[in-house]
Amino acid sequence: MGRLLFLLVFNVGAWAVLRSLWPGLLRKWRLGVFALGTFLSLVAWLYSAVAGRHAQLPVGDAALRVFSVGWSVAIIMIVLAGAPFLLLRRWLDRPARQAPPLTAPEANPTPPVNMARRNLLTNAGRAVPLLAAGTSSVGLANGYTQFSVREVDIHLPGLPPAMDGFRIGQITDVHVGTFIDTQYLQDAVRAMNDAKVDLQVMTGDLIDDLDQLDGTMAALSECKARHGMLAILGNHEHWRGLEAIRQAYADVEARGGPVRLLVDTSHAFEHAGQRVRVVGVDYPMSGRSHRVKAERMQQSAEAGFRDVAPEEVVLCLTHHPDFFPLAAERGARLTLAGHTHGGQVAFLGVPAFWFAFKYMLGRYRQGDHQLYVSGGTGHWLPFRIGVPTEVTVLTLRATGASAAVRTS
C-alpha cells in the first residue's frame, strides 16, 4: 500500500504542477482524461496490493500494466522536472510580492518583475509534460525490444592456460510471464548456442507465470553447450511457486537434460584437463524480509563452497550481487549475478538508481576476484532507458593480469 500512496501523492503533485505551469491545459475534457488516467494507473497497483504482487487482473492485464507503468513514469517526471521551474518562477516573482503599494498614481510604473525571463521560464516549463510523455514512450518501446548479445572479456590474473578463452553464456531475470514469453527465452538460449559458449548459466528470476513452466523448461533444454546449463534460484522463484519450479528442474535433469539446478551446492567438471567447480547459492531472503539476509548468505557460503579443492578454478553464481565478497573470500575467481536489472534506467552509462544496490551494473573487482552484474535478459515491467536487455557472453582471458577493469 505504501507504493500506492506514493503514486497517489505524485499524481496529485503532477496535477498541481500542470495547473501552475499550464493553467489552460487541465480544463474540461482534458481534466477528465487526466482523472481517468490516474484512476486506471492506480487500479493495477491497487489490485496487486490487495490480491498479491503477481496476481493477474481479470481483464486486460498486460495492457493495463503497460499503461500504468507509462503513466506513472510520466507523472513522476512531471513532478521532478516541473517543480524546479515553479520554484524558480516564484523566486522571480518575489520582487512583485515584496514591493510596497503605490501611494500615488504613476504614469509609467517600472515593472518589478523581468517579464521576458518569466515568460521564457513559463514556456520552458510547459515543455515538461511533453518531455515526460516522450521519455515514457521511449522507455516502453525499449522495454519491448529484443535483447542484445553483449560480449565481455574477463581478464583474470593467474588463470590456468587451459581456461584461457573459456566462454560462458549468461541469462538472468528473464521473468517469463505477462511481458516475456517462452519464445523469447528460446531465442536467448539459441543466441548462446550460436555463440558456441562452453557453459551456459541462468542466474535466477526465470519465471513468474507457472502456466508457462513446461514451455520454459523446454526452452532451457535446447542448451547445446558442452558443459550444459547451470541454474540458480532468484527471489521470484521463491514468490511464485518454489516447489513446482524445483520439481520442474529435477524432472529435466532426471530425463538426462542439459540443465542442472544448484541450490547452495556446486558442480564440478573438467575442461581441457583443468578441473572447474561452479558454486550456486540460493536467494538469501525469506519472502521479502531483508532482516535475515546476512545470516542466509553466510549459510549459503558455508554449504556451497564446502567441496571446493585448491587445484580447482572456482566460479560462483548468485542472484543477489551482495554475495560477491563472500564468494571472493572463498576463492571464486568470477562471480555472476543479476537481480538489479541494472536499474533499467541509465543516463550516459550511469544507472539512475545507482544508490539502490552496492553492485548495480557491470564489472567490479576485489583483489584478483571479479563480479559481473547483468542488466537482465527480460523484465517484469517493460520499461528501459540506457540499460538494454542482454544475453551476456563472457570470455575468460589469462593474459590480462594488468588489464584495467571498468567499474560500471
Side-chain angles (χ1 to χ4, degrees):
M1 296 300 290
R3 183 179 298 171
L4 183 66
L5 181 60
F6 170 84
L7 291 172
L8 179 61
V9 169
F10 264 88
N11 273 272
V12 173
W15 170 81
V17 168
L18 290 175
R19 186 169 177 268
S20 297
L21 287 178
W22 206 334
L25 182 63
L26 296 183
R27 290 182 180 175
K28 299 180 180 179
W29 64 270
R30 289 186 293 272
L31 179 59
V33 170
F34 182 86
L36 180 61
T38 298
F39 173 76
L40 291 177
S41 71
L42 295 179
V43 163
W45 300 105
L46 177 61
Y47 189 82
S48 297
V50 174
R53 182 172 181 176
H54 300 289
Q56 291 193 339
L57 290 154
V59 179
D61 181 75
L64 188 55
R65 289 185 186 278
V66 169
F67 173 80
S68 180
V69 171
W71 182 273
S72 298
V73 169
I75 286 300
I76 292 172
M77 286 192 63
I78 287 172
V79 174
L80 296 182
F85 282 98
L86 292 180
L87 292 175
L88 186 55
R89 193 176 69 181
R90 184 175 178 81
W91 181 79
L92 290 175
D93 289 347
R94 186 174 56 176
R97 295 196 306 271
Q98 295 177 346
L102 297 175
T103 57
E106 295 186 17
N108 295 299
T110 302
V113 178
N114 188 320
M115 295 304 297
R117 291 182 180 178
R118 190 183 190 281
N119 291 336
L120 177 62
L121 188 63
T122 298
N123 291 330
R126 289 179 176 179
V128 167
L130 302 177
L131 175 65
T135 302
S136 179
S137 299
V138 169
L140 289 173
N142 288 340
Y144 276 102
T145 58
Q146 187 76 350
F147 58 80
S148 60
V149 177
R150 183 177 185 187
E151 295 270 358
V152 180
D153 283 350
I154 302 293
H155 296 269
L156 296 172
L159 187 72
M163 295 297 290
D164 185 30
F166 185 84
R167 286 163 68 80
I168 305 170
Q170 181 192 12
I171 57 175
T172 188
D173 300 276
V174 182
H175 295 285
V176 173
T178 302
F179 304 111
I180 302 291
D181 59 16
T182 56
Q183 181 61 54
Y184 183 96
L185 174 60
Q186 188 178 65
D187 291 343
V189 174
R190 288 178 176 172
M192 293 188 290
N193 290 339
D194 292 343
K196 301 187 184 306
V197 299
D198 300 293
L199 172 69
Q200 296 183 15
V201 300
M202 203 297 296
T203 50
D205 279 7
L206 172 65
I207 186 169
D208 287 332
D209 179 10
L210 296 190
D211 290 339
Q212 301 185 57
L213 186 54
D214 290 343
T216 296
M217 290 300 157
L220 294 184
S221 297
E222 292 198 13
C223 165
K224 305 298 183 185
R226 75 166 83 176
H227 300 299
M229 177 184 290
L230 300 176
I232 60 173
L233 300 171
N235 49 307
H236 281 243
E237 283 90 345
H238 281 268
W239 293 346
R240 291 301 293 157
L242 182 60
E243 293 307 315
I245 294 171
R246 293 192 64 165
Q247 185 59 54
Y249 273 116
D251 291 344
V252 171
E253 187 174 350
R255 293 193 298 266
V259 184
R260 178 191 297 264
L261 178 66
L262 303 179
V263 185
D264 290 344
T265 188
S266 63
H267 174 68
F269 57 87
E270 283 197 2
H271 179 81
Q274 173 63 52
R275 189 162 175 86
V276 181
R277 184 171 295 277
V278 181
V279 176
V281 297
D282 197 3
Y283 181 73
M285 275 87 92
S286 175
R288 300 180 187 178
S289 172
H290 289 242
R291 290 177 298 178
V292 298
K293 175 183 167 184
E295 180 182 346
R296 291 284 177 87
M297 287 199 304
Q298 187 66 40
Q299 293 172 355
S300 291
E302 293 172 0
F305 285 82
R306 180 173 49 233
D307 299 325
V308 170
E311 70 276 9
E312 296 174 330
V313 172
V314 182
L315 310 174
C316 180
L317 308 179
T318 174
H319 186 61
H320 203 302
D322 281 1
F323 188 80
F324 173 49
L326 291 174
E329 289 171 5
R330 287 161 175 77
R333 301 304 307 277
L334 173 64
T335 299
L336 300 179
H339 187 52
T340 68
H341 297 208
Q344 295 200 187
V345 177
F347 300 101
L348 300 177
V350 179
F353 308 104
W354 55 269
F355 50 84
F357 292 94
K358 182 177 181 180
Y359 309 105
M360 174 62 82
L361 177 66
R363 287 185 281 181
Y364 302 85
R365 183 170 64 185
Q366 180 175 309
D368 290 339
H369 311 275
Q370 292 191 36
L371 165 70
Y372 181 80
V373 183
S374 168
T377 308
H379 41 63
W380 59 273
L381 286 177
F383 187 91
R384 285 181 177 265
I385 294 178
V387 186
T389 52
E390 66 179 79
V391 170
T392 318
V393 175
L394 304 106
T395 303
L396 306 190
R397 300 296 185 189
T399 57
S402 60
V405 175
R406 178 181 60 83
T407 300
S408 296

